């Protein structure tokens, strides 16, 4: 039997909308509705930059996993990217995960998504971020992404690896403590808001059963 589902992209697009300033509210609403209605759109320049970066790091880390040394083909690869590739050389890439959770008053909800990289030896999930904006400490703390993925894999730790265009590397770490409580609170807030908006609730129930 199909059940209602939530992904990090759906929750985060909703979060952006409800917390957007008036100046950006219309755009945030349109972005949320595109995700809600599962409308396929071309990636923005920033999104494409991130996708290309993930593919690059995956290829570099898999090379190191095979025990191959850096060579002339890698001479233009920045040292910072080689450092990240070394860190991720034991990872499984692009894992699709899902888990059913019970939300009080809501019933069963399916959470799912795709993980950039997972190290089964350290039970650490990695998410790669390539950004042109300035990094701020704990800038991803609002996100449901690390909570969903730690819940799905019962992982010990989630690390955002943030690489700026100025070749500066930052990390933002979250450990598996009170994940169920934090996750259920976010899911409940989202579902309550959706159910308080009948037209959006109608679309959600049509498009997000899995």
């Amino acid at each position: 039997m199909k059940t209602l589902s939530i992904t990090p992209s759906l929750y985060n697009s909703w979060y952006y909308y409800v917390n957007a300033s008036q100046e950006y509210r219309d755009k945030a609403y349109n972005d949320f509705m595109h995700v809600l209605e599962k409308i396929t759109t071309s990636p923005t320049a920033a999104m494409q930059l991130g996708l290309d970066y993930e593919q690059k790091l995956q290829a570099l880390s898999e090379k190191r996993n095979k025990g191959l040394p850096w060579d002339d083909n890698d001479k233009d690869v920045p040292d910072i990217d080689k450092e990240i590739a070394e860190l991720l050389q034991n990872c499984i890439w692009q894992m699709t995960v899902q888990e059913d959770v019970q939300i009080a008053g809501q019933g069963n909800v399916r959470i799912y998504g795709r993980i950039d990289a997972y190290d089964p030896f350290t039970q650490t999930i990695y998410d790669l971020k390539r950004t042109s904006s300035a990094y701020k400490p704990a800038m991803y703390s609002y996100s449901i992404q690390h909570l969903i993925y730690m819940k799905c894999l019962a992982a010990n730790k989630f690390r955002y690896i943030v690489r700026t265009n100025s070749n500066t590397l930052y990390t933002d770490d979250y450990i598996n403590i009170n994940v169920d409580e934090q996750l259920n609170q976010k899911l409940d807030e989202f579902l309550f808001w959706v159910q308080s908006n009948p037209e959006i609730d109608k679309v959600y129930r049509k498009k997000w059963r899995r």
Side-chain angles (χ1 to χ4, degrees):
M1 180 179 178
K2 292 186 176 181
T3 186
L4 290 172
S5 61
I6 297 176
T7 63
S9 60
L10 177 61
Y11 176 90
N12 288 341
S13 66
W14 165 78
Y15 181 90
Y16 286 141
Y17 166 56
V18 297
N19 290 281
S21 63
Q22 194 61 41
E23 180 183 3
Y24 299 105
R25 196 163 182 80
D26 287 345
K27 182 183 184 306
Y29 174 77
N30 290 333
D31 291 345
F32 167 59
M33 291 304 298
H34 273 81
V35 177
L36 183 68
E37 295 175 346
K38 295 190 173 183
I39 296 174
T40 302
T41 58
S42 299
T44 64
M47 291 170 61
Q48 191 61 55
L49 179 68
L51 292 170
D52 293 344
Y53 187 62
E54 288 173 16
Q55 292 175 2
K56 173 185 175 181
L57 262 296
Q58 180 174 351
L60 290 171
S61 68
E62 289 175 346
K63 178 176 184 174
R64 295 299 294 137
N65 180 259
K66 294 175 183 177
L68 300 174
W70 302 122
D71 53 36
D72 287 345
N73 293 325
D74 308 307
K75 62 182 179 181
D76 294 327
V77 176
D79 288 342
I80 189 173
D81 291 338
K82 291 179 180 178
E83 178 185 344
I84 298 171
E86 295 278 359
L87 174 66
L88 304 181
Q89 64 179 299
N90 295 318
C91 286
I92 302 167
W93 286 80
Q94 300 300 317
M95 287 181 64
T96 298
V97 296
Q98 71 173 39
E99 182 78 12
D100 288 355
V101 295
Q102 288 288 325
I103 307 298
Q106 300 286 354
N108 191 58
V109 176
R110 184 159 296 157
I111 53 175
Y112 71 98
R114 182 176 294 175
I115 292 170
D116 284 350
Y118 174 64
D119 187 334
F121 299 102
T122 62
Q123 295 188 350
T124 301
I125 299 166
Y126 295 95
D127 189 78
L128 300 173
K129 303 290 187 186
R130 178 72 186 269
T131 180
S132 59
S133 59
Y135 173 79
K136 298 178 181 178
M139 66 186 297
Y140 300 106
S141 60
Y142 74 89
S143 179
I144 204 171
Q145 187 175 17
H146 51 276
L147 299 174
I148 284 181
Y149 292 162
M150 282 194 288
K151 174 65 176 179
C152 286
L153 284 179
N156 292 329
K157 186 169 74 172
F158 186 109
R159 169 171 288 184
Y160 294 98
I161 297 178
V162 187
R163 201 268 215 191
T164 69
N165 286 351
S166 60
N167 289 339
T168 305
L169 180 65
Y170 299 94
T171 58
D172 194 3
D173 291 353
Y174 298 87
I175 58 176
N176 197 336
I177 296 178
N178 298 325
V179 165
D180 286 354
E181 179 182 346
Q182 296 176 64
L183 176 61
N184 288 1
Q185 180 179 348
K186 288 182 181 291
L187 294 175
D188 187 59
E189 288 172 352
F190 171 80
L191 292 169
F192 178 80
W193 184 91
V194 167
Q195 291 163 4
S196 300
N197 293 269
E199 290 302 315
I200 288 177
D201 188 40
K202 182 179 179 180
V203 176
Y204 175 59
R205 292 180 180 278
K206 178 181 179 181
K207 296 285 188 176
W208 288 85
R209 291 192 181 277
R210 179 182 172 92

